Amino acid sequence: LVVLLDCCHSGEFLERNLIEKTLTAFISQRDYYFIAACRGFQQAYAKKSEQHSIFTTALLAGLSPENTNDRGQVTGDRLFDILTTELKGSGQEPIRMGWGRSITLINHNIQTQAQTFEVKEECPYQGLKAFEAEQKQFFFGRKQVVRKILAKLAQKPFVPIIGPSGSGKSSVVQAGLIPELDDRVWQILPQIKPGFQPLQELRAVLKVFFPGAKKERLLWELITKEPNPLPVILKHLTGAEKFLLVVDQFEELFTVSVAEQKQRFIELLTQVGEITDSRLKVVITMRSDFLESCSDYPSLNKLIENQLVLMPRITGVDLKETITEPAKLQGHSVEEGLLLKILEDVGKEPGYLPLMEFALTRLWEKRDQQKHQLTLEQYENFQGLTGALNLHAENVYLYEDYQQDCPTQKRNKQEKDWIEQIFLRLVRTGEGEKDTRQRQAKAELLAIAGNEQEQQQALNELLDEGLVKGRLLVAGKDEQGKAWIDLAHEALIESWERFREWRQKDRDLRRLSDRLADALREWLNKGENEKYLMQGGLLAEVRENWEKLEFLLSPQAKNFYQRSDAYEQHQIATLEKALTELRLREKAARVENLLTVQPLESLVLAIQTIGENQEKLPQQILAPVQNSLNQVTNKARVSIPLHGHEDYVNSVAISADGQIIVSGGFDRTVRLWNHQGLPLAEPFRGHQDYVSCATISANGQTIVSGDRDGTVRLWNRQGLSLAEPLRGHEGDVNSVAISTEGQTIVSGGDNGTVRLWNRQGLPLAEPFRGHEDYVWSVAISTDGQTIVSGGDDGTVQLWNRQGLLLAEPLRGHEGDVYSVAISADGQTIVSGGDDGTVRLWNRQGLPLAEPLRGHEHYVRSVAISADGQTIVSGSFDGTVRLWRGGWQGWLQVCCDRLRYHPIFTNPQTEEAKAACEVCRKYVWSKVSG
């Protein structure tokens, strides 16, 4: 059935899909052709001076003998091409719709002479490459498929082209469909493949319509998050009436694309089917063995059911034209015997088209130059349809001079090993025998050669000059400009025998390698977030097979595994640590519960618990464990009073080696003592008022003191002044400290400030302000970077050298904090105050133990030894006390109490035996040593 409609707005029937509803004759016809004189919004014109309208005039001319094909026929398609040309610029544009087979409108039966063509050297065959629009004149045999695609596009803007590997899906789109689309109406968007990140591929195509950073961000939001983004995207598509997006190798979505993008990509593409008269049309090509994978996606599955275009085998005249017509256009012929032999061989091979194209390409290269003919003799030399590709691939693999008829320059073992590794990286090992190609970044392939530049250069030359130039691989660049490499065609997977043998080896191992690569891509896509490292079963499989798997992996994949393995080990260790902590805390709670009812058992359990803590968590003795040990030793205090001062002792300090003690008091003297409480020198005299503070340098050679008259003084061990008094405070100097190297002096006073000085008495920074009133005490860490102060506002504060607070104020004392100290490692802070207690803190302000009690008046001064185990305090009760603080001291007291007790001399329980062993290991062996 043919309908030619010449009237105004005649295109309305096509553009609104009214034709089948309005003209019922079309429903019953399998072959029909409809041509309308103009679009639905246009008028059809006629000139008064002419007998016919401009459409009918062009129609009659198109049906004349001058416009027939080489068989004397005018077909519907040929007529439409003529009408389009004739009406160009007339103000009306003809449109058409066809269905079924080609329709011949008129046959003039004229005698035609055989057409001759100029002899040309350009090869009309494409080898393993797909035909592009530029080679459309050489593309034959798919007219019916192209018509079907056009018809499906007219029905809905989504067409899936499905066929087996090697059926010519890509070629039929590029060299068949696209040339049929009027470039005045259509803009063909760059073709994409899903690849690893299909959403990024889609963005790369569309971002030209979203110029500028702001609009590009909008595009990404639309692609990734907007529930219905296509209407907005379509509004941004400018420059053409219609747009075509081709997604080639759609099966990559199910083989290499990251899982989280797969669903979204399908949703975006299939949404075009829901938009009436969508300006964006989508054509996908996919291998038929992936149809089952589509069934999990209802929107895609429905479109495939209704819009599917299957790629049939090319047979008969179409197949013959595919072989002979390209050569004829170049002034060459195909020997009759060769044609018959190829037709015979094609029937035996599945996926024969790429093999045939490659064989014809090789035949063209070896054609008879005198006769301008492709010959059967050369075909047999190539070992037929399958042999041509296999023989060529073997030559490229074995020889550097593979292009010669008789190559002789053999490749070395290293090059052949590289080729094997490259080709195995370029396929994804499927279940059973179903393998697919997967492109790889060129940098990843070059990493096969290791880190040596010379080796990488050799591999790069092999890739470019050997495998790409040898047409086994193809190269390109992604949207970021990064080079990639891919198999020239999937036909290589089955047709190169050596490659097939490689693929049969270690298939399970290479499937595991592919899964690892998927996990690696996901991790990289997530910004290397540790949550996306390999975990669970996959990691266990990789670990189990690591020795066999390692050689298959890139350096990046190896690093990914090592990081995943380390992270899991860390997670396991963290879990084990948490469980250990839980057990220790439970035991510490039991110690406290037993203390009042079974003190002996409580003491044994406390020792055993601290030993377990030290054994399993040596870097972290838990606070509850320490507290429980502290409680069973009755706060673990051991004191030795030092007598000599004639009045209150205001300040004490201890040397780094714990052997020299300094004290200062109301009697205006500074005194030095040894560890047994004996004086080391005559009292230091010179202060005009009472000594409010004193300290000693790390090497024990410099003593610093401050007094009520606002001065700071420096002394040697003999009591001689080392410098002029340091002046600057307004009011009393309540506390002083000196850095380890003896160059920085810290002081605090009545005006609420902390000051830093050098030994010459010059300020090193602006006064530190933060306390609400008097600063009673200051200290400086061993590295000189942390200053601690305590004041009458009841807080302890931590500063850096610039006077900035390092933490929230440490609170706990009831009343003034008169003295502070900091351990050598900077982790333990000691304070003494108005409430008569000595307190231990960590840097976060949390108590490390119960307050140390014993003084009968407020604590005026505290100090801590270098090893953090001995704490000295001075009080208004006139005494200096030494405390054994920390779990080691407490443990020693507990162990010594039980050393000769029957529970240790003859332990009967497992807990008692474990506790006795703890004492031997951590206390008695060290004492005896």
Side-chain angles (χ1 to χ4, degrees):
L1 178 65
V2 177
V3 174
L4 306 175
L5 187 57
D6 184 8
C7 64
C8 294
H9 314 298
S10 52
E12 184 83 0
F13 284 99
L14 296 184
E15 294 177 336
R16 294 204 177 181
N17 297 319
L18 298 176
I19 187 165
E20 292 189 359
K21 299 176 183 177
T22 309
L23 302 178
T24 56
F26 279 95
I27 299 174
S28 61
Q29 293 296 323
R30 296 186 63 185
D31 303 323
Y32 63 78
Y33 210 83
F34 183 101
I35 298 178
C38 60
R39 304 293 299 269
F41 58 86
Q42 293 177 329
Q43 294 183 337
Y45 297 102
K47 296 180 180 179
K48 292 183 179 180
S49 57
E50 299 292 336
Q51 183 179 359
H52 306 293
S53 68
I54 60 175
F55 174 80
T56 300
T57 300
L59 173 67
L60 294 173
L63 294 171
S64 66
E66 289 77 15
N67 289 312
T68 59
N69 60 21
D70 55 1
R71 294 185 290 276
Q73 300 169 334
V74 177
T75 63
D77 288 341
R78 192 172 186 86
L79 174 62
F80 184 76
D81 289 342
I82 296 166
L83 289 171
T84 301
T85 302
E86 292 293 322
L87 294 182
K88 188 173 182 179
S90 67
Q92 65 184 79
E93 177 188 352
I95 57 175
R96 65 178 171 182
M97 184 175 74
W99 184 263
R101 293 169 295 179
S102 176
I103 296 177
T104 300
L105 302 178
I106 191 168
N107 194 332
H108 287 282
N109 294 320
I110 59 175
Q111 296 295 321
T112 59
Q113 295 182 342
Q115 191 173 6
T116 59
F117 296 92
E118 178 186 351
V119 175
K120 297 177 183 177
E121 299 300 314
E122 178 191 357
C123 178
Y125 305 105
Q126 296 305 301
L128 295 179
K129 296 187 299 181
F131 281 85
E132 302 287 342
E134 292 76 11
Q135 294 95 38
K136 63 181 180 180
Q137 72 272 26
F138 301 130
F139 183 68
F140 289 88
R142 290 298 193 188
K143 288 182 179 178
Q144 294 297 329
V145 175
V146 172
R147 288 195 187 101
K148 190 170 184 179
I149 296 170
L150 288 167
K152 291 288 186 180
L153 268 182
Q155 292 176 6
K156 268 192 179 296
F158 185 96
V159 178
I161 302 173
I162 312 293
S165 176
S167 57
K169 302 179 290 294
S170 301
S171 296
V172 81
V173 173
Q174 296 298 325
L177 170 64
I178 290 175
E180 288 292 315
L181 302 177
D182 189 345
D183 57 12
R184 293 172 299 177
V185 176
W186 290 84
Q187 179 176 337
I188 311 302
L189 300 176
Q191 176 180 286
I192 65 171
K193 298 176 183 178
F196 303 131
Q197 297 177 320
L199 297 183
Q200 279 84 338
E201 297 289 334
L202 188 60
R203 176 179 62 182
V205 169
L206 297 175
K207 69 180 182 181
V208 67
F209 302 104
F210 291 77
K214 186 176 180 180
K215 284 194 173 182
E216 198 166 323
R217 285 195 298 272
L218 169 63
L219 173 61
W220 188 239
E221 288 285 321
L222 291 169
I223 288 176
T224 57
K225 297 179 181 178
E226 182 67 32
N228 186 30
L230 273 186
V232 180
I233 291 175
L234 289 174
K235 287 180 182 178
H236 283 78
L237 298 185
T238 58
E241 189 177 324
K242 296 179 182 179
F243 296 84
L244 178 68
L245 173 64
V246 178
V247 183
D248 196 26
Q249 295 180 32
F250 194 76
E251 64 271 8
E252 285 187 0
L253 206 62
F254 308 110
T255 59
V256 300
S257 295
V258 294
E260 66 178 23
Q261 293 196 10
K262 190 185 306 181
Q263 176 74 45
R264 180 65 176 176
F265 187 71
I266 290 173
E267 288 174 359
L268 288 171
L269 295 189
T270 55
Q271 274 184 12
V272 299
E274 301 169 9
I275 297 178
T276 306
D277 297 330
S278 172
R279 295 168 54 236
L280 175 65
K281 319 290 182 179
V282 176
V283 171
I284 68 170
T285 67
M286 187 180 75
R287 274 173 40 175
S288 51
D289 49 348
F290 284 87
L291 268 173
E292 185 178 346
S293 301
C294 299
S295 61
D296 295 331
Y297 303 91
S299 61
L300 176 62
N301 199 44
K302 183 178 179 181
L303 284 169
I304 289 175
E305 288 178 0
N306 297 327
Q307 290 289 102
L308 171 65
V309 175
L310 282 173
M311 292 290 291
R313 287 176 65 92
I314 301 182
T315 58
V317 174
D318 288 337
L319 181 57
K320 183 178 178 182
E321 285 184 351
T322 302
I323 300 168
T324 60
E325 292 304 308
K328 186 186 296 183
L329 289 174
Q330 299 299 83
H332 288 66
S333 63
V334 176
E335 193 176 35
E336 186 67 24
L338 171 62
L339 175 61
L340 293 174
K341 181 59 177 171
I342 292 176
L343 293 175
E344 178 186 344
D345 289 349
V346 158
K348 304 173 185 176
E349 294 297 333
Y352 60 89
L353 276 182
L355 299 178
M356 185 180 77
E357 276 294 314
F358 188 83
L360 289 168
T361 303
R362 295 288 288 143
L363 287 168
W364 179 269
E365 293 168 353
K366 303 297 181 182
R367 65 192 181 279
D368 188 323
Q369 299 280 4
Q370 300 297 321
K371 296 182 179 178
H372 306 302
Q373 189 175 60
L374 280 62
T375 65
L376 176 61
E377 180 183 358
Q378 281 298 337
Y379 182 74
E380 290 173 343
N381 289 341
F382 292 149
Q383 301 172 21
L385 198 65
T386 57
L389 178 54
N390 183 66
L391 182 62
H392 175 72
E394 277 294 290
N395 280 342
V396 174
Y397 170 73
L398 294 171
Y399 299 101
E400 294 181 15
D401 57 340
Y402 59 85
Q403 294 171 312
Q404 302 299 318
D405 289 338
C406 297
T408 57
Q409 298 176 22
K410 292 184 178 180
R411 296 195 185 278
N412 59 39
K413 184 178 184 303
Q414 176 71 85
E415 289 178 316
K416 290 191 282 188
D417 286 346
W418 281 344
I419 293 173
E420 179 178 356
Q421 290 185 61
I422 288 167
F423 273 79
L424 287 175
R425 294 269 182 95
L426 292 172
V427 289
R428 184 177 183 86
T429 306
E431 297 300 323
E433 299 296 313
K434 188 170 74 172
D435 294 350
T436 54
R437 63 180 178 177
Q438 58 178 2
R439 69 171 61 177
Q440 295 284 356
K442 188 176 184 181
E444 286 290 308
L445 296 180
L446 291 176
I448 292 172
N451 297 324
E452 291 185 16
Q453 187 174 358
E454 186 176 332
Q455 289 287 85
Q456 287 208 356
Q457 286 177 345
L459 180 52
N460 188 63
E461 184 177 343
L462 174 64
L463 279 168
D464 293 343
E465 297 301 318
L467 304 179
V468 173
K469 193 173 182 180
R471 295 173 297 183
L472 298 184
L473 304 180
V474 290
K477 292 185 177 180
D478 62 18
E479 61 172 296
Q480 284 86 33
K482 294 179 181 178
W484 53 260
I485 299 290
D486 199 356
L487 294 180
H489 198 281
E490 284 187 334
L492 277 164
I493 295 176
E494 293 298 333
S495 299
W496 185 12
E497 293 176 5
R498 187 184 298 272
F499 190 14
R500 189 162 64 238
E501 291 171 4
W502 289 339
R503 291 188 301 104
Q504 297 311 311
K505 296 184 296 184
D506 301 319
R507 290 185 65 80
D508 289 341
L509 208 58
R510 286 189 290 107
R511 269 190 284 267
L512 181 58
S513 173
D514 288 337
R515 289 168 61 200
L516 188 153
D518 292 342
L520 170 59
R521 281 190 291 271
E522 178 76 356
W523 177 63
L524 293 172
N525 192 42
K526 295 296 184 180
E528 302 186 10
N529 188 315
E530 63 184 17
K531 292 191 300 184
Y532 293 90
L533 288 166
M534 262 192 302
Q535 299 177 31
L538 176 58
L539 180 56
E541 278 191 69
V542 173
R543 188 185 292 121
E544 183 180 347
N545 293 279
W546 181 246
E547 289 186 7
K548 295 180 288 184
L549 185 66
E550 186 176 6
F551 83 98
L552 291 174
L553 303 178
S554 67
Q556 190 179 36
K558 293 175 186 176
N559 175 61
F560 175 59
Y561 161 69
Q562 289 158 358
R563 289 186 62 170
S564 299
D565 185 57
Y567 180 71
E568 183 173 88
Q569 297 303 324
H570 172 71
Q571 293 293 89
I572 292 171
T574 301
L575 178 60
E576 289 177 348
K577 179 183 176 184
L579 292 173
T580 299
E581 286 188 14
L582 180 61
R583 286 196 301 270
L584 290 172
R585 291 176 191 278
E586 289 174 347
K587 286 187 175 184
R590 280 180 59 208
V591 169
E592 296 187 18
N593 292 335
L594 289 171
L595 186 57
T596 55
V597 291
Q598 293 177 294
L600 184 60
E601 286 77 3
S602 177
L603 185 57
V604 170
L605 181 58
I607 294 171
Q608 187 271 329
T609 303
I610 197 78
E612 184 179 345
N613 195 152
Q614 174 69 4
E615 190 70 31
K616 296 183 177 178
L617 299 175
Q619 304 302 319
Q620 181 189 12
I621 304 300
L622 300 179
V625 174
Q626 294 188 57
N627 289 340
S628 66
L629 188 63
N630 182 6
Q631 290 201 31
V632 297
T633 57
N634 193 25
K635 310 303 181 275
R637 65 176 183 265
V638 179
S639 64
I640 302 172
L642 308 182
H643 298 285
H645 280 282
E646 299 170 4
D647 209 333
Y648 297 142
V649 175
N650 289 329
S651 181
V652 293
I654 189 167
S655 63
D657 61 7
Q659 299 303 309
I660 302 173
I661 299 160
V662 181
S663 61
F666 261 72
D667 58 5
R668 302 183 182 181
T669 65
V670 177
R671 298 172 184 262
L672 266 59
W673 316 79
N674 66 16
H675 209 279
Q676 289 73 41
L678 300 176
L680 293 175
E682 289 295 313
F684 301 176
R685 303 182 188 278
H687 284 285
Q688 301 304 308
D689 209 328
Y690 64 76
V691 178
S692 55
C693 49
T695 190
I696 185 168
S697 63
N699 61 9
Q701 300 303 311
T702 304
I703 294 92
V704 183
S705 58
D707 64 16
R708 190 180 180 187
D709 64 7
T711 63
V712 178
R713 294 176 181 268
L714 275 63
W715 316 78
N716 63 17
R717 285 180 58 165
Q718 290 73 42
L720 301 176
S721 293
L722 297 176
E724 288 295 315
L726 313 185
R727 304 182 188 279
H729 276 284
E730 298 173 4
D732 292 10
V733 176
N734 295 323
S735 182
V736 291
I738 186 169
S739 62
T740 302
E741 82 285 357
Q743 298 303 311
T744 304
I745 295 152
V746 185
S747 60
D750 277 358
N751 60 353
T753 64
V754 177
R755 294 173 180 266
L756 261 64
W757 316 78
N758 60 21
R759 286 186 63 145
Q760 291 72 42
L762 300 176
L764 295 176
E766 289 293 314
F768 302 177
R769 304 181 188 278
H771 286 284
E772 296 174 6
D773 210 333
Y774 297 167
V775 174
W776 289 123
S777 181
V778 293
I780 186 167
S781 62
T782 301
D783 62 6
Q785 300 303 309
T786 304
I787 293 92
V788 184
S789 61
D792 71 349
D793 55 5
T795 68
V796 178
Q797 303 201 19
L798 275 65
W799 315 78
N800 63 18
R801 289 179 68 99
Q802 290 72 44
L804 300 176
L805 285 172
L806 298 175
E808 288 294 314
L810 316 186
R811 303 180 188 277
H813 281 283
E814 298 173 5
D816 296 11
V817 176
Y818 287 123
S819 185
V820 293
I822 185 168
S823 62
D825 62 6
Q827 299 304 308
T828 302
I829 295 144
V830 183
S831 61
D834 208 9
D835 55 6
T837 64
V838 177
R839 295 174 183 259
L840 275 63
W841 316 78
N842 62 19
R843 288 185 63 135
Q844 290 72 44
L846 300 176
L848 293 176
E850 288 292 312
L852 307 181
R853 305 181 190 277
H855 284 291
E856 297 173 3
H857 217 304
Y858 59 79
V859 177
R860 188 66 185 177
S861 184
V862 295
I864 183 169
S865 63
D867 62 5
Q869 299 308 304
T870 302
I871 296 163
V872 184
S873 60
S875 167
F876 260 54
D877 62 7
T879 65
V880 176
R881 292 181 180 267
L882 275 65
W883 308 82
R884 297 300 299 269
W887 69 269
Q888 293 95 336
W890 303 332
L891 178 61
Q892 183 167 348
V893 172
C894 291
C895 289
D896 288 344
R897 284 183 182 176
L898 297 179
R899 187 165 192 170
Y900 301 107
H901 194 284
I903 201 166
F904 265 20
T905 57
N906 185 26
Q908 298 298 309
T909 66
E910 290 302 316
E911 275 185 356
K913 292 176 183 177
C916 190
E917 183 58 34
V918 169
C919 290
R920 287 195 188 98
K921 183 174 182 179
Y922 295 110
V923 179
W924 301 327
S925 63
K926 292 186 178 182
V927 172
S928 62

